[in-house]
Amino acid sequence: METTPERTREDWAAALRRDCPSRTVVEVLASKWTLYVLAALRQYQRPMRFSELRRLLDGITQKMLTQTLRALERDGLLRRTVYPTVPPRVEYELTELGVGVGQLTGAIAEWAMDHSSEILRARQDFDDRATVPPQPVPR
């Protein structure tokens, strides 16, 4: 793995600009379906067919899965292989780049699973506070 020099505050300021190329990468990775597709391919550690991914990813539409797979292929995170059969068989698998980003997104998924009950409790507490009328501040 290549090491990169320490990022400066100016580097981060540039990354936050709307014209920074890294923003387009983050936009793809920030999609919930991207996270789930990467997770499925990473967990099963083998090429998967479209229909298999569709069955695994409860709630995803055919259109959204197609768009997500195309975006990941375009960014070099997965490889699409078409076999010359009738009907054609298509499989998707992570590239080396996809495996690397899958480790990052996998950490997010692990954290989410580990802390979901805390997050749900915080949401409920917030919603409960929102139903209480404002009280005067004691003097």
Side-chain angles (χ1 to χ4, degrees), residues 9 15-16 20 22 24 39 47-48 59 73 82-83 85 87 91 105 107 109 122 125 128-130:
R9 186 172 292 195
L16 297 173
C20 180
S22 68
T24 63
M48 298 180 80
E73 182 182 13
V82 181
Y83 296 93
T85 60
E91 291 181 341
T105 59
D125 291 348
D128 291 347
R129 286 192 313 271

Short mmCIF file of all heavy atoms in Angstrom, two decimals, residues 9 15-16 20 22 24 39 47-48 59 73 82-83 85 87 91 105 107 109 122 125 128-130:
data_model
loop_
_atom_site.label_atom_id
_atom_site.label_comp_id
_atom_site.label_asym_id
_atom_site.label_seq_id
_atom_site.Cartn_x
_atom_site.Cartn_y
_atom_site.Cartn_z
N ARG A 9 -3.81 21.48 6.52
CA ARG A 9 -5.10 22.15 6.64
C ARG A 9 -5.53 22.70 5.28
O ARG A 9 -6.70 22.66 4.92
CB ARG A 9 -5.02 23.27 7.66
CG ARG A 9 -6.35 23.91 7.94
CD ARG A 9 -6.28 24.86 9.08
NE ARG A 9 -6.04 24.07 10.27
CZ ARG A 9 -6.18 24.53 11.50
NH1 ARG A 9 -6.55 25.76 11.71
NH2 ARG A 9 -5.96 23.76 12.53
N ALA A 15 -10.10 20.13 -0.35
CA ALA A 15 -10.99 18.97 -0.50
C ALA A 15 -12.44 19.33 -0.21
O ALA A 15 -13.35 18.67 -0.70
CB ALA A 15 -10.54 17.84 0.42
N LEU A 16 -12.66 20.37 0.55
CA LEU A 16 -14.02 20.79 0.88
C LEU A 16 -14.63 21.68 -0.19
O LEU A 16 -15.83 21.98 -0.14
CB LEU A 16 -14.03 21.49 2.24
CG LEU A 16 -13.60 20.62 3.42
CD1 LEU A 16 -13.49 21.45 4.68
CD2 LEU A 16 -14.53 19.45 3.60
N CYS A 20 -13.42 20.14 -6.06
CA CYS A 20 -12.40 19.13 -5.75
C CYS A 20 -12.83 17.78 -6.32
O CYS A 20 -13.95 17.31 -6.07
CB CYS A 20 -12.21 19.01 -4.24
SG CYS A 20 -10.95 17.77 -3.83
N SER A 22 -12.11 14.86 -5.42
CA SER A 22 -12.43 13.85 -4.40
C SER A 22 -13.91 13.88 -4.02
O SER A 22 -14.45 12.88 -3.57
CB SER A 22 -11.57 14.05 -3.15
OG SER A 22 -11.90 15.23 -2.47
N THR A 24 -16.44 13.93 -5.98
CA THR A 24 -17.21 13.00 -6.81
C THR A 24 -17.06 11.57 -6.30
O THR A 24 -18.00 10.78 -6.38
CB THR A 24 -16.79 13.08 -8.30
OG1 THR A 24 -15.43 12.69 -8.42
CG2 THR A 24 -16.99 14.48 -8.86
N ALA A 39 -20.58 -4.12 0.62
CA ALA A 39 -20.64 -5.06 1.76
C ALA A 39 -20.98 -6.46 1.28
O ALA A 39 -20.37 -7.44 1.72
CB ALA A 39 -21.66 -4.58 2.78
N PRO A 47 -17.45 -13.57 -7.04
CA PRO A 47 -18.29 -12.87 -8.00
C PRO A 47 -19.76 -13.21 -7.76
O PRO A 47 -20.11 -14.32 -7.35
CB PRO A 47 -17.83 -13.42 -9.36
CG PRO A 47 -16.47 -13.97 -9.11
CD PRO A 47 -16.48 -14.45 -7.69
N MET A 48 -20.61 -12.21 -8.00
CA MET A 48 -22.05 -12.41 -7.80
C MET A 48 -22.81 -11.91 -9.01
O MET A 48 -22.40 -10.96 -9.67
CB MET A 48 -22.51 -11.67 -6.54
CG MET A 48 -21.85 -12.16 -5.27
SD MET A 48 -22.40 -11.28 -3.81
CE MET A 48 -23.94 -12.12 -3.51
N GLY A 59 -35.05 -4.25 -0.71
CA GLY A 59 -35.54 -2.89 -0.90
C GLY A 59 -34.94 -2.16 -2.09
O GLY A 59 -35.45 -1.12 -2.49
N GLU A 73 -18.46 0.36 -11.23
CA GLU A 73 -17.61 -0.11 -12.34
C GLU A 73 -16.85 1.07 -12.95
O GLU A 73 -15.65 0.99 -13.22
CB GLU A 73 -18.46 -0.80 -13.39
CG GLU A 73 -17.64 -1.35 -14.55
CD GLU A 73 -18.49 -2.00 -15.63
OE1 GLU A 73 -19.73 -1.84 -15.64
OE2 GLU A 73 -17.88 -2.67 -16.49
N VAL A 82 -18.97 -10.38 -18.54
CA VAL A 82 -20.09 -10.92 -19.31
C VAL A 82 -19.63 -12.21 -19.98
O VAL A 82 -18.62 -12.22 -20.70
CB VAL A 82 -20.58 -9.92 -20.39
CG1 VAL A 82 -21.75 -10.50 -21.16
CG2 VAL A 82 -20.94 -8.59 -19.75
N TYR A 83 -20.34 -13.30 -19.73
CA TYR A 83 -20.02 -14.59 -20.33
C TYR A 83 -20.93 -14.80 -21.54
O TYR A 83 -22.13 -14.55 -21.47
CB TYR A 83 -20.21 -15.71 -19.32
CG TYR A 83 -19.26 -15.60 -18.16
CD1 TYR A 83 -19.62 -14.94 -16.99
CD2 TYR A 83 -17.97 -16.12 -18.24
CE1 TYR A 83 -18.74 -14.81 -15.92
CE2 TYR A 83 -17.08 -16.01 -17.18
CZ TYR A 83 -17.47 -15.35 -16.03
OH TYR A 83 -16.60 -15.22 -14.99
N THR A 85 -23.02 -16.62 -23.09
CA THR A 85 -24.00 -17.71 -23.03
C THR A 85 -25.34 -17.15 -23.45
O THR A 85 -25.50 -15.95 -23.60
CB THR A 85 -24.09 -18.28 -21.60
OG1 THR A 85 -24.48 -17.24 -20.71
CG2 THR A 85 -22.76 -18.87 -21.15
N PRO A 87 -29.17 -17.15 -22.09
CA PRO A 87 -28.92 -15.70 -22.09
C PRO A 87 -27.55 -15.39 -21.50
O PRO A 87 -26.96 -16.23 -20.80
CB PRO A 87 -30.05 -15.16 -21.21
CG PRO A 87 -30.36 -16.26 -20.26
CD PRO A 87 -30.11 -17.54 -21.03
N GLU A 91 -21.43 -11.30 -14.15
CA GLU A 91 -21.01 -11.36 -12.76
C GLU A 91 -20.27 -10.09 -12.38
O GLU A 91 -19.63 -9.46 -13.21
CB GLU A 91 -20.10 -12.57 -12.52
CG GLU A 91 -20.80 -13.89 -12.63
CD GLU A 91 -19.87 -15.06 -12.37
OE1 GLU A 91 -18.64 -14.91 -12.46
OE2 GLU A 91 -20.40 -16.15 -12.09
N THR A 105 -15.59 0.95 4.17
CA THR A 105 -17.05 0.95 4.30
C THR A 105 -17.49 -0.18 5.23
O THR A 105 -18.49 -0.05 5.93
CB THR A 105 -17.73 0.83 2.93
OG1 THR A 105 -17.31 -0.37 2.28
CG2 THR A 105 -17.43 2.04 2.06
N ALA A 107 -15.90 -1.02 7.91
CA ALA A 107 -15.72 -0.47 9.26
C ALA A 107 -16.93 0.38 9.64
O ALA A 107 -17.38 0.35 10.78
CB ALA A 107 -14.43 0.33 9.34
N ALA A 109 -19.98 -0.03 8.49
CA ALA A 109 -21.08 -0.97 8.73
C ALA A 109 -20.96 -1.64 10.10
O ALA A 109 -21.95 -1.78 10.82
CB ALA A 109 -21.13 -2.02 7.62
N ALA A 122 -30.97 7.54 21.21
CA ALA A 122 -30.75 8.99 21.11
C ALA A 122 -31.84 9.64 20.25
O ALA A 122 -32.33 10.72 20.59
CB ALA A 122 -29.37 9.28 20.54
N ASP A 125 -34.97 9.82 22.36
CA ASP A 125 -34.84 10.89 23.36
C ASP A 125 -35.04 12.26 22.71
O ASP A 125 -35.74 13.11 23.25
CB ASP A 125 -33.46 10.85 24.03
CG ASP A 125 -33.29 9.64 24.93
OD1 ASP A 125 -34.30 8.95 25.22
OD2 ASP A 125 -32.13 9.36 25.32
N ASP A 128 -38.70 12.67 21.84
CA ASP A 128 -39.48 12.89 23.06
C ASP A 128 -39.34 14.33 23.54
O ASP A 128 -40.31 14.96 23.95
CB ASP A 128 -39.04 11.93 24.17
CG ASP A 128 -39.43 10.49 23.88
OD1 ASP A 128 -40.25 10.25 22.96
OD2 ASP A 128 -38.88 9.59 24.56
N ARG A 129 -38.11 14.88 23.49
CA ARG A 129 -37.89 16.27 23.91
C ARG A 129 -38.63 17.24 23.00
O ARG A 129 -39.09 18.28 23.44
CB ARG A 129 -36.40 16.60 23.93
CG ARG A 129 -35.65 15.98 25.09
CD ARG A 129 -34.25 16.56 25.24
NE ARG A 129 -33.48 16.63 24.02
CZ ARG A 129 -32.68 15.67 23.54
NH1 ARG A 129 -32.56 14.52 24.20
NH2 ARG A 129 -32.00 15.86 22.43
N ALA A 130 -38.74 16.88 21.74
CA ALA A 130 -39.40 17.77 20.77
C ALA A 130 -40.90 17.88 21.04
O ALA A 130 -41.52 18.85 20.62
CB ALA A 130 -39.15 17.27 19.35
#
